[in-house]
Amino acid sequence: MSDKKNLKAKTGNEAMAEAMRQINPDVVAAYPITPATEIVQIFSQFVADGLVATEFVAVESEHSALSACIGASAAGARAMTGTSSQGLALMYEMMYIAAGLRLPIVMAEVNRALSAPINIHGDQSDTMCARDSGFLQIYCENSQEAYDSMIQAVRICEHPEVLLPATVSTDGFIISHCLEAIEMLKDEQVKEFVGTYKPKHWLLDVDHPFTLGAIDLQDYYFEHKRQEIEAMRKATKVVKEIGQEFGRKFGRSYDMLETYKLEDAEAAIVVLGSTAGTVKVVIDEMRKQGKKVGLLKLRVFRPFPFEDIREALKNIKIVGVMDRHDGYNAYVPPVCSEVRSCLYELDKRPKIASYVYGLGGRDITLEMITGIYNELLSGKISAEVKYSGVRE
Amino acid sequence: MGEIKVARKKGWKELPEGDYLEPGSAAVFETGDWRSERPVWIPENCIQCLFCWVYCPDSSVKVKDSLMTGFDYKHCKGCGICVTECPGKKGNKAIKMEAEKK
Amino acid sequence: MANLKELATRPELLSGGHRLCAGCGAGIIARQVMMAAADKPVVVTNATGCLEVSTTIYPFSAWKTSWFHSAFENAAASCSGIEAAYKALKRTGKVDKDIRFIAFGGDGGTYDIGLQSLSGAMERRHRMLYVCYNNEAYMNTGIQRSSSTPLGAYTTTAPNGKVKKGKEQVRKNLTEILVAHNIPYVAQTAIGYWNDLITKVQKALDTAGPTFINVIQPCRLGWGYSPEDTVTLGRLAVETCLWPVYEVVNGKYKINVKPKEKKPIIEYLKLQSRFKHLFKPENESVITEIQRNIDEHWAWLHLMEEDTNK
């Protein structure tokens, strides 16, 4: 545990770029996009100033950014990238490939709404569309988590039982551009924590040539996908282990999810990202008025921590799940859908309400969250998805 | 089709992780039964120009010590490019195509 | 100058047992490129396409060197990443060997869907050789038109019919697009000129920068001819001056093969079923146009050669 706090004022983007500097990856290939541009820009300056040994590839598109990372990772390098929204959408094809080829690439991702209409602000529709890509998905409440999670993600992804890529996401502008005091680790601490990438097979190991990326037809594709599924399952254990190790070493532990005043809560909200912070403020206020409300913040959405969620929510009477993305007439949007599914196994299930909020960066206020809690506490909920904050 | 006999296809727990393959593993796969005609070497007409070797799409012209020594019938698909490219000796080709006996 | 006796002593980096068609030109190109490259360790990247699918059907790979494929439009981008990794790992001492990088793409993966990533990689000056095995259509998916398909050719997405005469547009000149990137080495060659192809690959691999070779590749299936004629047709493309064999070294043009007598394009067209419809009297004008385009381009190339070597 560090005795002296090394506090620095950093935006989410700066925090992620600083983490990348300290990780000092072999290759970074990236393309700018609002609101993630700064990550690439700041990192380019680190390269220009000789603060990292990284080979920086300023590619001509996000598709090529991830393609170059995939090539670099397969070649034996630790590779990283960063993007947002449309950039991530352009990468979707390559995301499945990075995961399928089992390449542990870490991506600094800033959540931003998808076009159309074009919008540059935060919602989680970009990463939600990639939820079955084989990437691990870590959602961060604040810059500190973003910084810490980037560092942990390297270890998680490169773990021999995982070997999958990950996105570490912050909410666009809300986190990416807001200044916060974060506690930074020393360069040597990060260097030691992340260690070096030691792949079993790497293309530049030319004395041991191999083929990677063969065509896999009906007779092998399923087996390889099954391996990938298993790796994602095992990632749950690895996320916890690395999160605990991080805590032991640096004083901030991490898990798949975090609960806040949930044990005795009558009504709970499930949410991911920066909104969790806002919800905590509301909880403190409402608790003062004697209202038993609590929070389940999902930090990791892939792998999905269904057992932990079940355990955490089994005694709650009513749960509101907040999605910053819609499923377009899916029964409920993705986070709600998965939370709801995993609770189905319980004999005594909480009632569940679904809320879609904050699309295109629409503010989610303390009042709106208070309103949701009051609605939950009243027990008067319907199966219909509610859209919080939209003008009728 | 030249499907080789794989005793038992491995399950997901036994296969190497990911889409990884050993180099040159296709050599065990037979494509020789694609042929309807086979090239036959006539050594007395061969000037060892190696054009058959350099133009073979299937790496099926056998060469030892830089000399053509015959065909790899396990892989040769019988395209006949070697015959077309063979200059032969005094107008007599060193390779001819013969019908496969099925 | 390459020497076949010497090349034959090198390890064969593409094994038999791949599933390319009998008489496939892509197999010839890949083998000859690898013959030229076999004196140094090499990492190959392949765009999705005939060569990729046919040579690596799990669990069988024909490649004996490090080989990588990820998608269709990104061979140059993934090769950029591999080359960047090489630079980084060489700096940190994890790699000490001198390694070369080759990317293969068909005309679909190169002229069309992969053009952006190719342009980016060339502009960024990654040291790699990009080889386009150019069979003038999307052969892997069943002979659809590409921007490399020549005027008048039949393809399944630009077929001839009651009102159409096959492809209605002339192909784009990708080789010149690459020249416009001001990269140190750009070349065109054809099957049938093994010495030229191998010499060019060696030159390209010895160049410390991005290099590009566009190889015309007869496809027996898509062009419609007998498999034994693959090499003959490659040669005819050059002898008719349809596909000039030339190189541009640091901006200087050199025509490597100047046929003593330019054969009329009809001799090339008549051997391929994709041009069969052009021999109907009502389509005669297309052949005239093809010949005129060839003549103009051939004259232009001579001017370029003269101009850039003054």
Side-chain angles (χ1 to χ4, degrees):
Chain A
M1 207 152 137
S2 51
D3 26 87
K4 277 184 198 158
K5 283 198 169 183
N6 182 21
L7 287 176
K8 305 263 182 206
K10 298 280 173 202
T11 64
N13 283 345
E14 287 167 351
M16 281 175 136
E18 285 289 349
M20 284 169 76
R21 177 183 63 74
Q22 293 180 311
I23 292 162
N24 196 5
D26 300 307
V27 173
V28 169
Y31 191 80
I33 181 167
T34 306
T37 304
E38 282 178 326
I39 302 173
V40 187
Q41 238 169 249
I42 297 165
F43 192 80
S44 306
Q45 194 62 49
F46 293 150
V47 175
D49 291 336
L51 297 176
V52 286
T54 308
E55 190 63 30
F56 178 68
V57 191
V59 284
E60 81 299 334
S61 73
E62 287 88 355
H63 194 282
S64 286
L66 191 50
S67 295
C69 284
I70 286 170
S73 182
R78 179 177 277 157
M80 300 179 86
T81 186
T83 193
S84 177
S85 183
Q86 304 307 119
L88 192 76
L90 196 54
M91 286 182 178
Y92 288 158
E93 181 195 27
M94 298 316 298
M95 292 182 81
Y96 283 75
I97 293 172
L101 296 177
R102 309 297 301 280
L103 300 171
I105 298 159
V106 173
M107 188 195 303
E109 203 277 340
V110 181
N111 282 126
R112 169 186 143 181
L114 285 174
S115 299
I118 189 167
N119 174 295
I120 55 166
H121 292 278
D123 73 32
Q124 288 154 353
S125 50
D126 53 358
T127 44
M128 277 302 152
C129 290
R131 66 191 185 274
D132 294 335
S133 64
F135 266 62
L136 277 79
Q137 294 198 336
I138 303 175
Y139 290 84
C140 305
E141 184 186 328
N142 49 45
S143 297
Q144 183 72 62
E145 278 194 24
Y147 170 81
D148 292 346
S149 296
M150 285 290 284
I151 295 165
Q152 291 169 53
V154 172
R155 285 279 306 282
I156 296 164
C157 294
E158 291 174 10
H159 193 285
E161 288 186 274
V162 179
L163 292 175
L164 288 171
T167 49
V168 177
S169 296
T170 62
D171 285 322
F173 291 104
I174 300 166
I175 302 300
S176 68
H177 284 63
C178 280
L179 210 58
E180 278 180 52
I182 68 159
E183 189 185 341
M184 279 185 62
L185 305 178
K186 295 191 178 100
D187 292 357
E188 314 82 71
Q189 288 176 309
V190 177
K191 190 180 173 186
E192 201 201 323
F193 187 81
V194 296
T196 47
Y197 177 44
K198 290 184 191 121
K200 199 165 152 197
H201 308 288
W202 44 299
L203 295 168
L204 293 173
D205 182 13
V206 285
D207 293 332
H208 305 97
F210 66 100
T211 288
L212 185 66
I215 179 166
D216 231 16
L217 299 172
Q218 312 92 310
D219 46 356
Y220 286 98
Y221 180 88
F222 206 168
E223 279 69 28
H224 284 133
K225 282 290 157 191
R226 181 65 187 82
Q227 291 178 336
E228 197 184 327
I229 293 159
E230 190 65 13
M232 188 59 94
R233 281 189 183 172
K234 285 184 174 157
T236 303
K237 178 180 68 108
V238 177
V239 169
K240 287 168 180 268
E241 280 171 10
I242 303 286
Q244 281 160 15
E245 183 189 327
F246 193 87
R248 278 196 307 277
K249 287 181 171 153
F250 311 123
R252 291 183 300 276
S253 289
Y254 286 86
D255 205 330
M256 298 289 287
L257 50 80
E258 181 192 316
T259 58
Y260 188 74
K261 302 190 179 172
L262 191 65
E263 295 70 29
D264 64 338
E266 284 167 17
I269 279 179
V270 177
V271 75
L272 23 84
S274 62
T275 307
T278 321
V279 173
K280 286 174 186 171
V281 176
V282 173
I283 291 173
D284 289 345
E285 277 307 307
M286 292 184 77
R287 286 265 172 181
K288 278 181 206 159
Q289 298 156 25
K291 291 183 177 169
K292 288 186 173 175
V293 290
L295 164 73
L296 189 156
K297 177 182 91 184
L298 266 177
R299 174 181 177 239
V300 182
F301 188 66
R302 282 291 181 274
F304 188 70
F306 48 89
E307 283 174 350
D308 293 357
I309 291 173
R310 227 178 265 148
E311 187 56 33
L313 297 181
K314 66 180 178 192
N315 297 322
I316 312 291
K317 275 189 213 141
I318 194 156
V319 175
V321 184
M322 296 176 67
D323 274 87
R324 205 162 193 163
H325 167 66
D326 193 41
Y328 296 90
N329 201 37
Y331 185 57
V332 284
V335 180
C336 185
S337 173
E338 302 209 13
V339 168
R340 193 182 180 100
S341 289
C342 83
L343 295 180
Y344 188 82
E345 303 301 322
L346 293 172
D347 292 332
K348 214 178 101 217
R349 296 187 283 269
K351 279 190 180 175
I352 299 200
S354 172
Y355 298 90
V356 168
Y357 75 101
L359 298 189
R362 175 67 48 87
D363 268 348
I364 176 86
T365 62
L366 300 172
E367 292 71 31
M368 284 155 75
I369 295 167
T370 310
I372 290 174
Y373 270 130
N374 283 330
E375 194 167 82
L376 294 171
L377 287 168
S378 76
K380 286 177 198 152
I381 56 162
S382 68
E384 206 178 316
V385 180
K386 291 219 165 67
Y387 294 89
S388 306
V390 74
R391 291 184 301 277
E392 293 299 332
Chain B
M1 290 293 282
E3 189 64 45
I4 69 147
K5 286 187 177 64
V6 177
R8 189 183 64 84
K9 284 175 186 157
K10 288 180 176 168
W12 66 270
K13 291 178 185 169
E14 306 159 282
L15 284 170
E17 291 271 316
D19 200 6
Y20 164 94
L21 269 183
E22 290 295 329
S25 42
V28 301
F29 192 89
E30 294 194 20
T31 49
D33 55 0
W34 294 19
R35 279 192 308 272
S36 55
E37 287 186 309
R38 64 163 53 201
V40 177
W41 186 39
I42 309 159
E44 60 269 28
N45 292 341
C46 179
I47 59 166
Q48 291 294 347
C49 65
L50 297 182
F51 288 170
C52 54
W53 171 76
V54 81
Y55 284 120
C56 175
D58 290 293
S59 317
S60 295
V61 176
K62 291 198 218 167
V63 167
K64 201 180 171 219
D65 300 327
S66 298
L67 295 173
M68 195 286 192
T69 61
F71 292 101
D72 166 12
Y73 290 114
K74 189 174 163 184
H75 297 123
C76 166
K77 294 167 188 159
C79 67
I81 288 175
C82 52
V83 179
T84 313
E85 293 310 303
C86 177
K89 199 187 276 178
K90 295 175 187 164
N92 298 312
K93 294 223 178 220
I95 307 168
K96 61 174 179 181
M97 296 303 280
E98 279 182 3
E100 278 292 340
K101 292 178 198 95
K102 294 258 172 179
Chain C
M1 281 286 280
N3 172 327
L4 282 184
K5 301 274 176 215
E6 188 271 321
L7 290 171
T9 63
R10 296 181 174 195
E12 176 80 59
L13 295 180
L14 187 72
S15 82
H18 58 68
R19 259 71 76 77
L20 288 163
C21 299
C24 175
I28 301 174
I29 294 168
R31 267 193 77 225
Q32 292 185 358
V33 169
M34 298 317 287
M35 280 174 203
D39 61 338
K40 281 202 177 70
V42 58
V43 179
V44 172
T45 309
N46 219 153
T48 308
C50 287
L51 182 64
E52 169 266 329
V53 295
S54 305
T55 55
T56 64
I57 301 180
Y58 198 92
F60 307 110
S61 171
W63 296 88
K64 294 186 183 176
T65 190
S66 297
W67 183 95
F68 181 69
H69 158 258
S70 62
F72 189 10
E73 66 278 54
N74 67 349
S78 6
C79 194
S80 303
I82 297 171
E83 193 257 1
Y86 171 67
K87 279 194 206 151
L89 298 188
K90 220 167 182 191
R91 272 204 296 272
T92 53
K94 280 182 211 155
V95 172
D96 54 5
K97 292 205 162 61
D98 202 14
I99 305 175
R100 295 288 181 265
F101 303 95
I102 300 176
F104 283 104
D107 48 304
T110 310
Y111 277 69
D112 292 341
I113 200 167
L115 181 62
Q116 174 182 312
S117 76
L118 173 63
S119 175
M122 297 288 117
E123 184 271 336
R124 293 191 302 272
R125 288 294 193 271
H126 294 280
R127 181 171 183 166
M128 67 164 83
L129 163 62
Y130 191 105
V131 178
C132 175
Y133 63 99
N134 179 2
N135 47 39
E136 303 186 324
Y138 304 154
M139 300 311 183
N140 191 40
T141 43
I143 323 164
Q144 292 83 28
R145 93 190 271 291
S146 78
S147 62
S148 169
T149 304
L151 178 70
Y154 162 89
T155 55
T156 55
T157 50
N160 51 294
K162 284 180 183 145
V163 296
K164 300 272 187 183
K165 302 169 184 177
K167 193 184 170 192
E168 294 177 310
Q169 304 82 11
V170 294
R171 79 159 110 243
K172 87 180 164 209
N173 191 335
L174 182 68
T175 305
E176 291 302 318
I177 293 172
L178 269 294
V179 171
H181 282 70
N182 294 318
I183 57 175
Y185 191 80
V186 179
Q188 269 195 187
T189 189
I191 283 185
Y193 298 84
W194 65 267
N195 201 336
D196 184 79
L197 191 151
I198 288 170
T199 306
K200 281 175 175 166
V201 171
Q202 287 172 337
K203 269 191 199 177
L205 292 175
D206 286 341
T207 304
T211 56
F212 176 83
I213 303 179
N214 195 348
V215 193
I216 196 168
Q217 181 236 304
C219 164
R220 44 94 44 120
L221 198 70
W223 292 18
Y225 63 85
S226 278
E228 70 269 20
D229 290 333
T230 298
V231 182
T232 311
L233 271 168
R235 244 179 244 127
L236 263 176
V238 178
E239 288 163 356
T240 54
C241 301
L242 168 79
W243 190 259
V245 169
Y246 73 105
E247 62 191 350
V248 185
V249 186
N250 294 314
K252 284 190 195 302
Y253 282 64
K254 186 179 179 197
I255 305 172
N256 310 99
V257 178
K258 290 181 178 170
K260 283 195 190 97
E261 170 191 5
K262 190 200 284 178
K263 289 187 178 167
I265 194 60
I266 287 185
E267 289 191 29
Y268 172 80
L269 302 179
K270 70 183 180 193
L271 296 179
Q272 306 170 50
S273 66
R274 64 175 172 156
F275 295 117
K276 212 166 103 190
H277 57 284
L278 298 186
F279 290 89
K280 289 181 185 166
E282 67 268 28
N283 293 340
E284 222 172 71
S285 64
V286 181
I287 297 185
T288 312
E289 192 183 342
I290 295 171
Q291 185 65 60
R292 191 176 60 236
N293 291 343
I294 292 171
D295 296 345
E296 282 173 11
H297 182 244
W298 186 238
W300 174 83
L301 202 59
H302 279 79
L303 281 177
M304 289 306 287
E305 188 182 43
E306 210 180 295
D307 263 16
T308 56
N309 286 288
K310 267 178 190 159

